[in-house]
Amino acid sequence: MTNSLSNAFDAESFRKKGYAMIDQLADHLQRMQSPDLSQKVYDQTKPEALYDFWKKDLDAPTGNWYEKTLAQIIHLHHPKYLGHQTAPPAPEAVLGELFGAFLDPGMGIYEQGTTGVVLERLISEIVADKIGFSPETSSGFLTSGGTLGNLTALLCARAVKIKTDVWEHGYQGKQYAFMVSEEAHYSVDRAVRVMGMGAAGLIKIPVDDQFKMNTSLLEAELIKAKKNNVEVIGVIANACSTSTGTHDDLEAIADFCQLHQLWMHVDAAHGGALLFSRKYRHLLKGIERGDSVIFDFHKMLLTPSLVTMLIFKNGSHSYQTFAQRAAYLWDNQESGEWYNLAKRTFELTKTSMSFRVYALLRNGGEQLFEDYLDRQYDLGRTFAQMIKALPHFEMPVNVPESNIVCFRYAAPDKTAEELNEINGSIREAIVKEGEFFIVQTRLKNQIFLRVTLINPSTTVEHLSALLLKIQSLLK
Ligand SMILES: Cc1ncc(COP(=O)(O)O)c(C=O)c1O
């Protein structure tokens, strides 16, 4: 071995640096949980400044780069992190990831993935049971994010529902489409375009005043599509929508799909986690009637990203998604061994996602999930009441269904344009200052402040402080 190789694989150096890094992260976590935490959640720095900083560091490395990163990066474990839907990873799941990253077997084929592949199956059986799918006939796997999960599910729907062989011969001039609420995540639109179906491949159904798909419009839209020679192959339901956290009526969508023999895909990237909450499970009523379901463990189930479950009611469908030969990996593409996952996934070399989930499940995970979900969803409702008590604030939904809460300042003497400007500048000022991190969204052309109550250490006191800060910015 050359010097560089023996240094790179030196076990003692790994041990020393590994312990030091874990110490550093544990100290950071402790700091984030301290009652007198004064550290900012976020230090807004221009990309060019950070680029110059790291270029210098790379050219002449000095000091500890983990420490430098900790001083710059956004802190998901900070109780005032109220931004995007990325959960603060639970340390146990992080250790699972570290373990998997070190061993790094690759989950695409069984001869490499072995234990990790089996764990994926066990996890998918737990999920099947929670959904109400038959453990014998359903089948699922983990994949790299909700975006890829949605694309994979829609590709499968296409393979099952279209009578001709699109995989081999393309669409042959025919226009197919999926229906989805206008509030769907952009990954659905992207998936349909990636599939070559174009803009006409997605029929966007308007939402009602609570941002749920207006399912009473589905029939008329289907008739209109037929008239235009568009064949609808499926409907995608939101559970829940990204902007407002609203759940579509899964029963109504399932009735429609059943009547017209359409594929029903449930994009439960955020809300699918509620399978683990007895209190809020009712929001997913009808999910068991879906043909495919995705949800992200890295959103509301505390793993580091990315860990997405894609599960099919009829597991045999999942083998129809791709039809490519790979003689060096397996002899027969047509055979459906559950343990050669790459036959059904985009990824071949797939990370050991199951280790992250299993690490939690083995350590009281189901109870942890339920405690976490109930707490965060309860907090969403409490926060909504706090907003309602303020003069001149409004919310787009009467009662938030999830831990995503949108609201805005809406004094009656201001024009729509002024209100957009005021709310946009509130968000900008908050992020710039760095004590809190929140995001914004645009609903029916109005800018709303948007928080996701995703941190288990966020309390009512933190939320009161946020509202006081917002009010102070209005002065
Ligand atoms: C409803 C919904 N679907 C899909 C996605 C995409 O998931 P990912 O970021 O894991 O690719 C998101 C992300 O926010 C989402 O909210």
Side-chain angles (χ1 to χ4, degrees), residues 85 144-148 150 185 187 238 240-242 267 269-270 294 296 298-299 306 308:
Q85 302 148 268
S144 309
T147 300
L148 202 64
N150 277 335
H185 188 257
S187 58
N238 285 330
C240 49
S241 67
T242 308
D267 179 356
H270 186 96
I294 64 143
D296 288 349
H298 58 272
K299 284 200 167 60
L306 297 159
T308 294

Side-chain angles (χ1 to χ4, degrees), residues 279-280 373-383 453:
K279 185 168 178 185
Y280 291 106
L373 289 159
D374 290 354
R375 182 190 187 282
Q376 302 315 116
Y377 274 56
D378 287 351
L379 194 59
R381 281 149 181 76
T382 307
F383 187 44
L453 302 164

Side-chain angles (χ1 to χ4, degrees), residues 92-345:
E92 194 77 53
V94 174
L95 293 177
E97 166 153 19
L98 177 63
F99 187 66
F102 184 90
L103 300 174
D104 209 24
M107 292 296 144
I109 48 171
Y110 179 71
E111 68 180 30
Q112 284 261 118
T114 59
T115 304
V117 168
V118 170
L119 297 183
E120 273 197 37
R121 174 161 172 182
L122 289 172
I123 294 162
S124 90
E125 283 174 357
I126 291 173
V127 171
D129 182 55
K130 300 264 174 216
I131 291 179
F133 283 170
S134 148
E136 278 81 39
T137 50
S138 70
S139 180
F141 48 77
L142 298 174
T143 191
S144 309
T147 300
L148 202 64
N150 277 335
L151 175 58
T152 314
L154 299 191
L155 279 167
C156 181
R158 182 180 79 173
V160 173
K161 286 293 175 190
I162 297 183
K163 305 280 178 299
T164 56
D165 188 351
V166 175
W167 186 263
E168 209 51 38
H169 306 295
Y171 295 109
Q172 301 177 83
K174 269 214 80 174
Q175 179 69 55
Y176 299 92
F178 288 96
M179 292 169 135
V180 73
S181 125
E182 60 180 337
E183 280 297 316
H185 188 257
Y186 77 84
S187 58
V188 170
D189 185 88
R190 189 176 280 190
V192 167
R193 289 170 196 265
V194 167
M195 287 162 70
M197 294 163 73
L202 203 58
I203 298 171
K204 293 196 176 162
I205 308 294
V207 290
D208 64 17
D209 65 347
Q210 295 300 295
F211 295 86
K212 289 174 188 288
M213 179 197 280
N214 190 341
T215 51
S216 67
L217 302 174
L218 285 169
E219 283 293 345
E221 287 294 335
L222 187 64
I223 292 168
K224 197 158 101 193
K226 276 185 188 153
K227 259 197 199 141
N228 294 333
N229 280 328
V230 177
E231 184 179 330
V232 174
I233 49 183
V235 183
I236 298 139
N238 285 330
C240 49
S241 67
T242 308
S243 284
T244 57
T246 311
H247 285 255
D248 284 343
D249 182 344
L250 301 185
E251 289 285 17
I253 294 171
D255 286 345
F256 178 75
C257 288
Q258 192 176 331
L259 184 67
H260 298 286
Q261 298 188 326
L262 303 176
W263 186 275
M264 175 172 164
H265 172 61
V266 186
D267 179 356
H270 186 96
L274 296 179
L275 291 167
F276 292 93
S277 161
R278 279 165 289 192
K279 185 168 178 185
Y280 291 106
R281 170 67 174 79
H282 64 93
L283 290 165
L284 297 174
K285 196 164 173 289
I287 194 172
E288 69 286 355
R289 297 175 66 192
D291 294 291
S292 54
V293 175
I294 64 143
F295 71 89
D296 288 349
F297 280 90
H298 58 272
K299 284 200 167 60
M300 286 306 296
L301 292 169
L302 300 173
T303 71
S305 51
L306 297 159
V307 185
T308 294
M309 166 120 287
L310 167 55
I311 186 160
F312 296 88
K313 177 158 58 197
N314 181 345
S316 69
H317 284 155
S318 63
Y319 297 91
Q320 297 179 41
T321 312
F322 307 105
Q324 275 157 318
R325 299 203 176 276
Y328 81 107
L329 296 173
W330 48 73
D331 283 339
N332 182 359
Q333 172 66 29
E334 279 69 47
S335 60
E337 329 66 82
W338 59 269
Y339 43 80
N340 280 327
L341 293 171
K343 285 190 169 182
R344 301 186 278 159
T345 61

Side-chain angles (χ1 to χ4, degrees), residues 1 113 147 149 259 332 349 438 474:
M1 271 204 212
T147 300
L259 184 67
N332 182 359
T349 308
I438 65 170
L474 288 168

Side-chain angles (χ1 to χ4, degrees), residues 3 19 30 45 100 102 136 149 194 227 334 353 388 409:
N3 254 358
Y19 275 123
Q30 229 159 26
T45 317
F102 184 90
E136 278 81 39
V194 167
K227 259 197 199 141
E334 279 69 47
M353 298 175 228
K388 272 188 184 154
Y409 174 69

